[in-house]
Amino acid sequence: MALQSVRGFHDILGDDILRFKKVSGTARSVLKRHNFEEIVLPVVEYAELFQRSIGEVTDIVQKEMFVFKDRKGRVLALRPEGTAGTVRAFIQHKLYAKRPYTKLFYEGPMFRYERPQAGRYRQFHQIGAEVFGVQEPTADAEVISVVYKILNSLGIEAVIEINSLGCKECRPAYRQALKEFLSTKEENLCKDCVSRKERNPLRVLDCKEKSCQMTVKDAPKTVDFLCDSCNEHFNKLKELLTELSIPYRENSNLVRGLDYYTRTVFEAVAESLDTTVIAGGRYDYLVEELGGPPTPALGFAVGIERLSLLLKEIEEQEGLYIVIPFGNVQGYALEVAEKLRNKGKRVEFSYRKGGLRKQLEFADKLRAKFAVIIGEDEMREGVVTLKDMESGEQSKIKADEIV
RNA sequence: GAGGGUGUAGCUCAGCUGGUAGAGCGGGGGACUGUGGAUCCCCGUGUCGCGGGUUCAAGUCCCGUCACCCUCCCCA
């Protein structure tokens, strides 16, 4: 078989790279304005880190991790997400001791051994951010507003859904109530949900099976079981979002697949794709569970490929100048090209063979904004012929005066 | 991990009941060493995804395999 990339591992090129960069650049610019600092994390970590953070019984850990042993027999894994590594770094470098709170963001490839589909790859890319050390809902509001701004500046239509899962105090009671409710309705649940009911009852809430959805409508809701402080936190968050004019939808069935979430969880759902493009939430116990001091935290991750899929038009690049040498004028033409580049222009020096006709066809093909035609006449006079490729107008101007 | 679909030239695809591969677009070249965004002319041996089988003969049938797409699981 011909040489080929590994299943689920894809190249990104052509127009896709423009979309990819736009998503990445937009997210970075929003994050920068919110003063998040970048951290570049390793792609490989001890597998244990993910088992302990994401949760032993989750699908990500059980069947989707790329796990392998190195030469010393250490059990390593390709990171399936970015939060665990960020938390590990936060603890390892004792960032909690340096500032009252810390805001970080990361970008890079993540790996999950899943069945590839549209917008789903085994190597995909996320840009994510985390806030450590703030328990106030203002941090939740900031993070959600970052998500909103990213979507907004990208012109992408997605609905932000929020929910609260409660904390150590109130979640157990809810879990119990839900379990009991589900037990009475077992005959209405799908096969998956019957087994899920014990292992991870919350997940039954967002099952797509119709009969499950019908059943779940009457199920107890997380928000009805929140303790006073969780309730206050959630209400305050909603107030803040309203104040910030961030549209959101409360979805009492929203739960997340990772074990570490507490209180606020949220997703940006693109209805056109019927998929989640950005997701996140609070994880107030994770830092402590991984060996750090008790530190409330929250974050989110953007699926770059998925957002790219929603990007309609790609940004026009800066207008291209194509320098067309014609005859024995190579040196002079090259000089002109350099001058333009020094002025910051995007310049292609044409290596295309053939007459002027072919050259202009080539310019057209590259979607050049201007053709800088340089023949022997031009060289003799110390000028160039600048042709506006859209209007077709052209004029001779001095080499130094092209803008 | 389960189910379904697809796989022929760079791209989109045609190829009927098996007989030895085509079109459009793109690309290259050309009466044009000075003018493009539907001027004209010329140019296609590509492992018909891969491997095996049936057959005198397979792109065309059978089996396997790989990849992609869709649904489920799960998730960004």
Side-chain angles (χ1 to χ4, degrees):
Chain A
M1 205 205 297
L3 237 36
Q4 213 180 319
S5 64
V6 175
R7 171 166 217 206
F9 290 72
H10 66 300
D11 303 310
I12 304 168
L13 67 163
D15 282 353
D16 287 342
I17 204 74
L18 298 178
R19 282 186 253 272
F20 191 101
K21 288 289 178 193
K22 184 170 180 192
V23 171
S24 164
T26 301
R28 278 174 174 273
S29 132
V30 175
L31 255 5
K32 189 176 162 190
R33 275 177 274 152
H34 280 259
N35 198 38
F36 280 82
E37 281 183 62
E38 182 162 14
I39 177 169
V40 176
L41 297 163
V43 163
V44 172
E45 299 272 2
Y46 287 106
E48 186 194 352
L49 172 65
F50 302 114
Q51 287 156 0
R52 286 175 56 188
S53 58
I54 298 168
E56 199 70 61
V57 299
T58 58
D59 277 31
I60 292 182
V61 165
Q62 284 189 333
K63 52 181 214 190
E64 295 176 2
M65 276 218 290
F66 281 90
V67 182
F68 59 98
K69 285 186 180 167
D70 72 0
R71 297 187 188 204
K72 286 273 172 65
R74 288 177 282 237
V75 182
L76 309 179
L78 259 31
R79 59 182 187 193
E81 53 108 46
T83 298
T86 311
V87 171
R88 193 226 76 228
F90 175 79
I91 297 168
Q92 182 174 332
H93 301 290
K94 299 184 166 49
L95 300 185
Y96 48 80
K98 294 174 179 160
R99 290 180 189 171
Y101 64 90
T102 305
K103 287 154 69 179
L104 299 171
F105 82 90
Y106 59 83
E107 173 174 13
M110 304 296 161
F111 305 86
R112 262 123 95 158
Y113 197 95
E114 293 185 274
R115 194 125 183 186
Q117 287 176 34
R120 166 181 291 178
Y121 305 97
R122 288 184 175 177
Q123 175 177 336
F124 61 101
H125 298 78
Q126 290 187 330
I127 180 159
E130 316 288 349
V131 178
F132 295 101
V134 186
Q135 58 166 309
E136 283 72 21
T138 38
D140 305 49
E142 176 174 11
V143 163
I144 292 173
S145 88
V146 167
V147 168
Y148 177 65
K149 284 181 212 172
I150 292 173
L151 293 167
N152 216 22
S153 17
L154 250 21
I156 282 171
E157 290 201 26
V159 180
I160 295 176
E161 300 192 330
I162 66 171
N163 192 22
S164 177
L165 301 179
C167 64
K168 268 181 181 155
E169 302 303 319
C170 45
R171 184 126 60 134
Y174 172 72
R175 208 181 146 95
Q176 192 52 40
L178 179 62
K179 257 183 161 171
E180 280 166 18
F181 170 83
L182 293 173
S183 297
T184 67
K185 309 280 184 185
E186 202 164 313
E187 66 275 12
N188 297 331
L189 297 176
C190 70
K191 229 192 261 164
D192 290 318
C193 282
V194 171
S195 71
R196 252 194 302 241
K197 162 174 85 65
E198 292 305 320
R199 216 165 35 113
N200 197 346
L202 296 207
R203 295 219 59 76
V204 177
L205 294 179
D206 66 355
C207 180
K208 282 170 192 151
E209 204 68 42
K210 275 218 181 80
S211 63
C212 294
Q213 285 182 342
M214 293 300 287
T215 312
V216 150
K217 267 187 185 157
D218 309 316
K221 298 191 185 324
T222 53
V223 288
D224 295 330
F225 281 75
L226 296 181
C227 62
D228 288 349
S229 76
C230 283
N231 200 34
E232 196 191 332
H233 184 97
F234 194 44
N235 285 331
K236 185 72 190 167
L237 169 62
K238 288 188 281 189
E239 270 174 41
L240 290 169
L241 292 178
T242 302
E243 233 166 294
L244 287 167
S245 306
I246 295 173
Y248 66 90
R249 180 159 68 198
E250 200 174 333
N251 176 356
S252 57
N253 291 333
L254 176 64
V255 299
R256 311 249 48 250
L258 286 59
D259 281 1
Y260 52 61
Y261 285 114
T262 56
R263 291 194 162 173
T264 311
V265 291
F266 56 89
E267 285 185 359
V269 181
E271 292 179 326
S272 62
L273 274 182
D274 192 27
T275 189
T276 301
V277 290
I278 302 180
R282 211 165 240 292
Y283 47 94
D284 286 340
Y285 310 124
L286 182 59
V287 176
E288 185 175 9
E289 278 164 13
L290 290 179
T295 308
L298 75 158
F300 70 87
V302 176
I304 300 182
E305 285 88 343
R306 285 195 181 172
L307 267 193
S308 299
L309 239 37
L310 294 167
L311 233 44
K312 299 280 186 305
E313 72 255 20
I314 38 184
E315 214 152 282
E316 296 230 344
Q317 293 190 72
E318 216 206 312
L320 173 70
Y321 285 71
I322 178 161
V323 173
I324 300 174
F326 207 63
N328 190 21
V329 297
Q330 302 295 315
Y332 177 66
L334 230 27
E335 253 180 73
V336 172
E338 278 310 292
K339 274 182 188 156
L340 283 167
R341 288 178 181 132
N342 289 338
K343 285 181 182 167
K345 300 301 178 193
R346 187 172 141 234
V347 180
E348 177 69 18
F349 181 85
S350 175
Y351 298 117
R352 218 288 190 193
K353 294 185 172 56
L356 233 206
R357 165 176 234 108
K358 297 284 186 193
Q359 294 283 3
L360 287 168
E361 275 173 12
F362 184 50
D364 219 36
K365 168 123 192 108
L366 297 187
R367 282 183 294 214
K369 191 160 168 42
F370 294 105
V372 182
I373 303 168
I374 300 175
E376 289 171 2
D377 297 348
E378 280 85 354
M379 183 169 77
R380 204 174 308 120
E381 297 165 34
V383 299
V384 305
T385 295
L386 185 68
K387 180 176 178 111
D388 183 317
M389 290 300 287
E390 202 170 330
S391 67
E393 287 167 22
Q394 62 180 51
S395 59
K396 287 190 177 180
I397 59 176
K398 287 188 182 160
D400 294 321
E401 290 172 359
I402 334 173
V403 193

